[in-house]
Amino acid sequence: MLDILVYEEQQQVAAGEAGPCLEYLLQHKILETLCTLGKAEYPPGMRQQVFQFFSKVLVQVQHPLLHYLSVHRPVQKLLRLGGTVPGSLTEKEEVQFTTVLCSKIQQDPALLAYILEGKKTIGRKKASRDSSALLRDAASHRDKDHSHSSTPARGPLLEAEPCGAQASNSHLPAETEEPDGGTGESNLITSLLGLCKSKKSRVALKAQENLLLLVSVASQAAATYLVQSSPCCPAIAEHLCQLYRSLPAFLDPADIATLEGISWRLPSAPSDEGSFPSKEALAAFLGWFDYCDYLITEAHTVVADALAKAVAEKLFVETLQPQLLHVSEQSILTSTALLTAMLRQLRSPALLKETVAFLLGMDQQPEGPEDNPRTLCAHLIGHCDHLSDEISIATLRLFEELLQKPHEWIIRSLILRHLEGRLYVARGSPEPESYEDTLDLEEDPYFTDGFLGSSLQPSPKPRPAPATNVDGKTAVTEIVNSFLCLVPEEAKTSAFLEETGYDTYVHDAYGLFQECSSRVASWGWPPGPTPLDTHEPERPFFEGHFLRVLFDRMARILDQPYSLNLQVTSVLSRLALFPHPHIHEYLLDPYISLAPGCRSLFSVLVRVIGDLMQRIQRVPQFPGKLLLVRKQLMGQVPGEQLDHQTLLQGVVVLEEFCKELAAIAFVKFPPRGPHLNLSPPPEGQV
């Protein structure tokens, strides 16, 4: 039959006319008969042959066929035969058939309604309107391009069998012989999703590529039809939730981290010695999430927004949020680590927007110190200071990952809305303090000129930032030295070891700052801080719950586990990289005159150093033990338990963090000028 049809079409003189053989095939419903034989598997193996025949006819016959009722109706029947039973013997033929249909729909979006419609759904007014819109859209497209018309030629065939949406409306309601066709749910979408679950990786990958073709259809009307009149978006999101629910109740965050970079094109987890239970299930979930993210990136805007909302509602709100708010520590830990892994893979702007709204909310007003909002964001920030160090570390990792996403509301919600107006700067005071409790530090015997250097001594006048010369070296020297000289010499050990110098941090900070600057370039941040209104009465300043938790954690750096300290300092250094002038001033400028009762990152560090100097006196052989602990952390000597180990590890982190902040301040200064010509200074000075 196929050879006859192809030969007949080649002999046709007038393009677009149906020959007698094709007319016979359509009028006598040969395809319906074949579909019935395939459904009955009579003779055995017939279903496979029918799938192949349909695929070849639709590809090799150039005459547009899918508009005809006697073609798209058996096509719908055939779709309902496939994709429903996992491990079907005809999976290969089924996916080839869906490939042909998706390609045809991409070429002519008006076909979407014919392929997806069911008998009852087509009777609804909404479906009729969408079908009509699709027809108008396709017709205008064809008229514009003057291309070969996909509407069958007028003639006896058209009279015998109407085509298009109107034909479907006139024929479909009268037919009742198909009991399961009325739901409109068993169609190309469900067939593709069924094939996506195939155990055969090639079949599943091809089905995913076909679904991608379908959602990226160019027509606005077709995309709207896909969203409003098909189960596409809810079904994709529901499969994601099913994969999530198949995961065990507890997963080690370290195991989740080993599966970074899972791609939907290679969803299977690599087989190696580091395997763990449920590795395949976790890889399947992260692979499908990556696929959803890619679908949203490539799909038509209408489909992308609907799919992003479906994923946010079904996965984030209905499934993840109860676990994040749960009292069980295992539930909190697993859900937080999984959310971090998803954030790391997330690329699509539409899904990122929904994720940020889910995590942070959209409250524009600055928080107050007494506020206790019952929001997810407030709970997550509270988890950063959880009794469980594991939960604190996992949640801090979540926020660090969030801060690297290209969405302005993240940094505005967590930090910037609290720094507006620069309420942290003293106003109208003739002798504002250069930092918190300067006079107390002046009387402290540990805060002497020989210890902290002249940069921390109180001055009789407010200390503005040093004047900047042409290339900015004067000011950057003062600021960087303030951080490098903060840790006393007796608490420094990096000078005794190679490759731990300040210049290494400068190199790393420069790359990270360039990346961060390019990410925020389009956000329209001001080049300099907002001018202070000296006549405005002072209002209380609150840094916001997020910075308060980070500063509280930083103040306890000498008493916290090493891994927790690393994560706290990592988040703070990420924040310091942002090129907003208020963030730069508040986190990296030691010279700001703080308002009464305010603290900055530098003032917190000064307090930690004061505490450290008192503790050093109570630790015998402190320099030797500190050097030994640093070598243990670097893997140069075997690890052994020492007295005051937490304190010693905290000192090592503190020294490295001060060098990191100095390097960030160096590469950021001046905020608007060139700084590429500044070479890194030697260790300990600029």
Side-chain angles (χ1 to χ4, degrees):
M1 275 195 292
L2 178 64
D3 290 342
I4 291 171
L5 291 172
V6 172
Y7 178 78
E8 178 187 66
E9 190 171 59
Q10 290 173 349
Q11 303 304 311
Q12 289 294 114
V13 178
E17 289 186 0
C21 296
L22 181 57
E23 286 188 19
Y24 184 88
L25 178 84
L26 298 172
Q27 289 178 333
H28 289 77
K29 299 185 178 181
I30 303 298
L31 297 180
E32 292 267 8
T33 304
L34 288 174
C35 190
T36 303
L37 293 173
K39 184 176 182 179
E41 272 282 48
Y42 180 81
M46 187 62 178
R47 183 174 301 180
Q48 183 179 27
Q49 297 299 320
V50 171
F51 271 114
Q52 290 179 347
F53 178 73
F54 270 64
S55 299
K56 290 176 180 178
V57 165
L58 293 175
V59 169
Q60 296 185 32
V61 175
Q62 300 303 307
H63 188 88
L65 298 175
L66 285 169
H67 286 279
Y68 289 102
L69 185 62
S70 61
V71 176
H72 75 254
R73 173 48 57 85
V75 163
Q76 289 173 332
K77 288 182 180 178
L78 202 56
L79 283 171
R80 286 194 284 274
L81 294 181
T84 55
V85 182
S88 168
L89 297 177
T90 58
E91 279 185 339
K92 181 180 177 182
E93 289 73 26
E94 291 170 23
V95 81
Q96 288 175 345
F97 179 53
T98 59
T99 301
V100 173
L101 292 178
C102 291
S103 300
K104 293 290 184 182
I105 290 171
Q106 194 179 48
Q107 294 167 13
D108 183 5
L111 293 172
L112 186 67
Y114 305 149
I115 304 302
L116 295 184
E117 68 192 13
K119 289 200 298 293
K120 291 181 181 176
T121 59
I122 201 63
R124 298 172 185 167
K125 293 182 179 180
K126 183 173 70 172
S128 300
R129 286 196 301 270
D130 289 336
S131 298
S132 302
L134 279 167
L135 280 176
R136 290 195 301 271
D137 183 82
S140 63
H141 177 72
R142 286 192 297 270
D143 292 342
K144 184 189 302 182
D145 294 344
H146 299 286
S147 58
H148 173 69
S149 172
S150 62
T151 304
R154 297 186 179 275
L157 182 62
L158 188 59
E159 295 173 3
E161 181 180 359
C163 67
Q166 294 177 350
S168 301
N169 281 319
S170 62
H171 282 68
L172 293 178
E175 297 179 8
T176 56
E177 73 275 11
E178 293 174 55
D180 80 332
T183 62
E185 294 176 356
S186 218
N187 55 31
L188 181 57
I189 301 293
T190 49
S191 179
L192 284 172
L193 283 171
L195 290 167
C196 287
K197 303 172 188 177
S198 171
K199 298 297 182 183
K200 300 175 183 175
S201 58
R202 290 186 178 181
V203 169
L205 179 60
K206 191 62 181 175
Q208 289 171 325
E209 290 174 347
N210 293 342
L211 191 54
L212 179 60
L213 274 179
L214 201 61
V215 300
S216 60
V217 62
S219 163
Q220 173 88 13
T224 304
Y225 186 92
L226 195 62
V227 168
Q228 296 181 354
S229 305
S230 83
C232 180
C233 297
I236 293 172
E238 181 56 35
H239 181 49
L240 185 64
C241 294
Q242 288 173 357
L243 291 172
Y244 184 88
R245 289 190 289 266
S246 69
L247 297 174
F250 176 69
L251 284 169
D252 190 334
D255 290 339
I256 296 174
T258 60
L259 289 185
E260 289 182 11
I262 289 288
S263 167
W264 67 275
R265 295 185 185 278
L266 295 170
S268 57
S271 55
D272 50 28
E273 297 178 358
S275 184
F276 57 90
S278 302
K279 185 173 184 178
E280 288 187 5
L282 179 58
F285 168 71
L286 292 177
W288 189 257
F289 180 82
D290 183 61
Y291 176 65
C292 290
D293 182 57
Y294 191 78
L295 276 182
I296 295 170
T297 303
E298 298 295 323
H300 189 284
T301 309
V302 173
V303 182
D305 291 341
L307 183 53
K309 283 181 170 58
V311 170
E313 182 65 28
K314 287 183 173 290
L315 178 65
F316 294 157
V317 177
E318 296 179 9
T319 308
L320 261 175
Q321 182 166 288
Q323 296 189 11
L324 291 168
L325 301 178
H326 206 277
V327 294
S328 163
E329 291 188 1
Q330 286 191 347
S331 178
I332 295 172
L333 189 61
T334 300
S335 56
T336 303
L338 283 169
L339 186 55
T340 305
M342 287 185 274
L343 261 181
R344 192 172 295 120
Q345 293 186 197
L346 201 154
R347 297 290 182 272
S348 61
L351 187 54
L352 177 60
K353 178 183 175 182
E354 295 292 335
T355 307
V356 170
F358 163 70
L359 289 173
L360 304 180
M362 299 307 291
D363 188 8
Q364 302 279 351
Q365 298 300 318
E367 300 166 335
E370 304 303 322
D371 292 347
N372 187 24
R374 312 299 295 177
T375 62
L376 177 62
C377 182
H379 276 87
L380 290 175
I381 292 174
H383 289 171
C384 294
D385 202 4
H386 200 275
L387 290 174
S388 164
D389 291 333
E390 280 187 310
I391 289 179
S392 295
I393 292 171
T395 311
L396 286 165
R397 282 178 181 155
L398 172 66
F399 278 106
E400 183 181 11
E401 197 64 46
L402 193 61
L403 288 168
Q404 298 175 60
K405 292 301 172 184
H407 197 290
E408 185 178 7
W409 179 242
I410 297 170
I411 191 68
R412 177 157 297 280
S413 174
L414 293 174
I415 308 295
L416 282 180
R417 61 179 168 140
H418 309 295
L419 303 184
E420 290 175 349
R422 300 171 67 201
L423 300 178
Y424 49 86
V425 178
R427 286 169 165 80
S429 174
E431 294 183 4
E433 298 170 356
S434 58
Y435 49 82
E436 182 183 28
D437 297 331
T438 297
L439 296 179
D440 293 341
L441 296 177
E442 184 182 20
E443 296 168 2
D444 196 321
Y446 299 112
F447 285 77
T448 62
D449 202 89
F451 161 41
L452 286 180
S454 58
S455 65
L456 289 186
Q457 294 307 304
S459 55
K461 296 182 180 180
R463 296 197 57 183
T468 308
N469 61 13
V470 176
D471 58 7
K473 285 186 178 178
T474 302
V476 78
T477 299
E478 295 286 340
I479 293 174
V480 171
N481 272 334
S482 296
F483 285 106
L484 289 181
C485 298
L486 198 52
V487 178
E489 289 300 323
E490 54 265 44
K492 289 182 177 179
T493 51
S494 58
F496 300 101
L497 302 170
E498 297 180 357
E499 298 182 359
T500 57
Y502 160 76
D503 53 342
T504 304
Y505 283 104
V506 172
H507 180 271
D508 294 341
Y510 176 71
L512 291 171
F513 178 62
Q514 292 294 99
E515 177 189 330
C516 183
S517 298
S518 64
R519 190 167 65 244
V520 308
S522 62
W523 296 353
W525 281 354
T530 304
L532 289 175
D533 184 358
T534 55
H535 302 292
E536 182 185 357
E538 288 194 1
R539 289 179 289 148
F541 168 71
F542 178 55
E543 63 266 31
H545 291 293
F546 186 58
L547 274 180
R548 180 169 70 174
V549 166
L550 291 178
F551 285 176
D552 289 347
R553 279 293 191 187
M554 197 66 216
R556 303 198 298 267
I557 189 172
L558 302 179
D559 302 300
Q560 293 173 156
Y562 176 69
S563 56
L564 179 56
N565 284 335
L566 286 182
Q567 198 56 53
V568 172
T569 54
S570 180
V571 173
L572 281 167
S573 63
R574 283 282 177 190
L575 286 173
L577 284 165
F578 281 92
H580 195 285
H582 295 172
I583 295 177
H584 182 85
E585 178 181 54
Y586 186 60
L587 295 183
L588 292 177
D589 189 353
Y591 296 95
I592 57 173
S593 299
L594 289 172
C598 295
R599 59 178 177 172
S600 68
L601 179 56
F602 191 77
S603 74
V604 171
L605 291 172
V606 167
R607 276 294 170 196
V608 172
I609 297 298
D611 184 26
L612 172 62
M613 290 306 296
Q614 296 182 35
R615 297 195 190 192
I616 284 178
Q617 313 302 319
R618 301 194 292 266
V619 180
Q621 301 177 341
F622 179 82
K625 290 182 178 179
L626 184 62
L627 183 60
L628 178 61
V629 166
R630 177 181 274 274
K631 288 182 177 179
Q632 287 178 352
L633 293 174
M634 298 179 67
Q636 295 182 0
V637 296
E640 59 179 273
Q641 191 66 33
L642 298 173
D643 293 335
H644 309 285
Q645 185 145 7
T646 300
L647 169 66
L648 297 169
Q649 290 177 341
V651 174
V652 173
V653 175
L654 183 63
E655 179 188 357
E656 296 306 304
F657 183 52
C658 288
K659 289 193 294 186
E660 188 174 15
L661 291 177
I664 293 172
F666 179 76
V667 300
K668 288 178 71 176
F669 195 94
R672 302 179 305 279
H675 49 271
L676 301 181
N677 60 332
L678 302 182
S679 57
E683 173 71 22
Q685 64 179 6
V686 178

